[in-house]
Amino acid sequence: MPLPGILERPISRGRTEINLSTFAFLMSEIIQYSHKRSDSVPDLERRLAEIGGQVGHRVLELLCLRERTPKREIKLNNMLLFIHTTVWKSLFGKQADLLEKDSDRNDTYMISDSNMVVNRFVSVPRELGSLNCAAFVAGIVEAILEGAHFPAKVTAHSVAQKGTTFLIKFDLSVLPPEALDTR
């Protein structure tokens, strides 16, 4: 009996963990590759975010195919919870530490993680003092939101007490009408 083709096999969860040293080596190579082609720290972070964006599109597709009830999220809060829990567990083995809405702005949300694995083994040289390698993960989150039709700009910031905070600023077109009311 012939073996089923690759397109006929189910998408299994497979091994969900990789060796940490393997991931650190891969991340190091991505950073070195991007650094050689960049002129400044913002340019390097932009390049890391672009590579992360390529990963993010694939992560969204894979996680949607694995869901038992495949549906497209149409509510902003549900999409943010999906990223905070499902995406984070898939990528980092745990959910993010905190998901919160900015109290001053209706279009801004924050996801915080106290122990980002992409920053764990990175020693930043003096000339790149403000580099935050979590820009890679910001690119992943931005691509996932874009792929789900929630356009946003995602940036990574190092915060002393919280570790890394991802600032998500949504396009006004995705906000519910009551959020746009400024009274």
Side-chain angles (χ1 to χ4, degrees):
M1 184 162 136
L3 293 172
I6 192 165
L7 295 175
E8 297 167 1
R9 288 187 230 151
I11 299 175
S12 66
R13 296 204 183 266
R15 283 184 55 191
T16 58
E17 294 181 11
I18 64 166
N19 188 324
L20 195 53
S21 63
T22 304
F23 177 78
F25 176 73
L26 178 62
M27 196 66 206
S28 168
E29 290 298 316
I30 290 171
I31 293 167
Q32 288 178 34
Y33 174 83
S34 300
H35 180 83
K36 288 178 185 174
R37 289 160 178 74
S38 62
D39 301 327
S40 63
V41 172
D43 186 38
L44 175 55
E45 288 179 343
R46 182 189 56 77
R47 288 177 185 274
L48 289 173
E50 285 176 1
I51 294 170
Q54 294 174 12
V55 173
H57 288 296
R58 288 163 178 83
V59 166
L60 177 64
E61 184 177 352
L62 178 66
L63 292 177
C64 287
L65 288 172
R66 283 185 179 167
E67 286 291 312
R68 295 190 190 279
T69 57
K71 64 177 183 173
R72 179 167 107 47
E73 290 294 345
I74 58 172
K75 293 185 179 175
L76 184 63
N77 288 339
N78 291 346
M79 189 63 202
L80 287 168
L81 284 172
F82 173 75
I83 291 171
H84 175 258
T85 55
T86 307
V87 171
W88 234 256
K89 282 181 184 176
S90 174
L91 293 175
F92 307 115
K94 66 177 188 78
Q95 75 178 27
D97 296 331
L98 185 63
L99 169 63
E100 59 186 324
K101 185 175 189 275
D102 189 341
S103 59
D104 298 333
R105 303 182 56 104
N106 287 332
D107 63 344
T108 306
Y109 291 80
M110 293 167 276
I111 296 177
S112 298
D113 195 327
S114 61
N115 193 15
M116 280 305 306
V117 70
V118 296
N119 289 337
R120 190 179 303 167
F121 302 108
V122 176
S123 55
V124 179
R126 286 190 186 119
E127 67 269 10
L128 301 176
S130 64
L131 174 66
N132 189 345
C133 295
F136 177 77
V137 179
I140 292 173
V141 173
E142 187 171 325
I144 288 171
L145 289 168
E146 178 186 303
H149 303 289
F150 290 100
K153 179 67 181 152
V154 181
T155 54
H157 304 275
S158 293
V159 180
Q161 303 301 327
K162 292 184 179 179
T164 303
T165 297
F166 297 93
L167 190 66
I168 305 169
K169 184 168 175 42
F170 285 99
D171 187 78
L172 294 178
S173 65
V174 302
L175 297 176
E178 60 272 6
L180 297 175
D181 191 12
T182 57
R183 286 184 247 167

